[in-house]
Amino acid sequence: MPKEKVPPGQKVVTKFPRLDLGVVPRFDESSWRLRVEGLVEHPLDLTLKDVLALPHVAVTADFHCVTGWTRLDNGWEGISFKTIVERSRPRPEAKFVTVECGDGYTTSLALSDLMADNVLLAFALDGEKLTLQHGGPLRLIIPDKYGYKSAKWAERIRFTAGKEVGYWEQRGYSDTADPWTEDRYG
Ligand SMILES: Nc1nc2c(c(=O)[nH]1)N[C@H]1C(S)=C(S)[C@@H](COP(=O)(O)O)O[C@H]1N2
Ligand SMILES: [Mo]
């Protein structure tokens, strides 16, 4: 039997709804940077060109928003999170990662969860450059968690020893966010 694709309590949509705080940050390629910092041996300060020069991966994955919609088989292209780890070399004390976004949103993940093969910083979806509305130029995609962990407009990736509780997690959503167990609320 193939693995069930739609988690309990979710409905499949075909369009990709947009869900955020209502602010799309301005994008100016000349000032945009991806910064990788905190408990790392080698902090990174990357232009978009630098990011695009890293090895690319393609990941086809389903996206589950905690409000109940699921979009199946999204074709993401981007940089594997493992590549960021290889290049920045987190120290042994680094156990968590906070992602800070251009709209002020944050989320935090266990480093061990980010090391899965299907976790990436995506710059393209279904063969097209990722739109600003969906988090372009670069967003995190972590398919095994509810969508609020897939931070749009990622600008800072900070490795930490302790967990820094993210925007929706501070407001009652689960920090573990597993769609398969309907782990919606913290
Ligand atoms: N920066 C940022 N990332 C964010 C959000 C947000 O408000 N700001 N919303 C999250 C939520 S709740 C969901 S479901 C997805 C939605 O992504 P989409 O707008 O591309 O569908 O983005 C997540 N990432
Ligand atoms: Mo969401």
Side-chain angles (χ1 to χ4, degrees):
M1 281 285 283
K3 189 175 179 257
E4 183 60 58
K5 282 186 61 86
V6 185
Q10 296 294 111
K11 275 210 174 97
V12 173
V13 295
T14 47
K15 279 201 186 148
F16 196 5
R18 172 186 160 199
L19 206 80
D20 53 45
L21 309 175
V23 194
V24 175
R26 209 171 297 137
F27 168 58
D28 168 15
E29 185 165 348
S30 63
S31 58
W32 186 91
R33 294 288 184 283
L34 177 69
R35 295 195 167 87
V36 182
E37 59 192 26
L39 298 173
V40 292
E41 299 295 342
H42 189 70
L44 304 174
D45 183 341
L46 305 174
T47 65
L48 189 55
K49 240 181 159 176
D50 296 332
V51 170
L52 297 175
L54 294 168
H56 295 187
V57 288
V59 170
T60 299
D62 306 331
F63 190 98
H64 313 295
C65 172
V66 72
T67 63
W69 53 266
T70 285
R71 187 177 192 262
L72 299 174
D73 299 320
N74 305 289
W76 302 107
E77 191 183 350
I79 312 302
S80 174
F81 195 84
K82 289 197 222 179
T83 301
I84 300 295
V85 166
E86 267 165 33
R87 303 294 164 112
S88 61
R89 301 200 305 273
R91 303 209 186 108
E93 321 82 91
K95 299 287 185 231
F96 297 93
V97 172
T98 298
V99 185
E100 291 183 5
C101 308
D103 60 344
Y105 187 85
T106 62
T107 193
S108 160
L109 289 140
L111 177 51
S112 55
D113 288 334
L114 288 166
M115 295 304 284
D117 282 335
N118 62 353
V119 178
L120 74 162
L121 291 170
F123 52 74
L125 169 61
D126 297 337
E128 309 275 353
K129 194 162 90 173
L130 190 60
T131 61
L132 272 183
Q133 280 72 21
H134 284 298
L138 196 68
R139 77 177 296 172
L140 181 71
I141 290 295
I142 177 159
D144 296 341
K145 302 285 183 188
Y146 280 124
Y148 56 88
K149 294 288 186 181
S150 287
K152 312 205 288 192
W153 311 297
E155 292 186 351
R156 259 173 219 275
I157 294 175
R158 192 169 58 254
F159 289 79
T160 62
K163 179 184 299 296
E164 301 179 344
V165 181
Y167 182 92
W168 279 124
E169 296 87 337
Q170 288 173 31
R171 289 161 177 78
Y173 284 105
S174 165
D175 192 52
T176 38
D178 173 14
W180 295 98
T181 58
E182 288 205 68
D183 176 19
R184 296 176 198 267
Y185 307 105

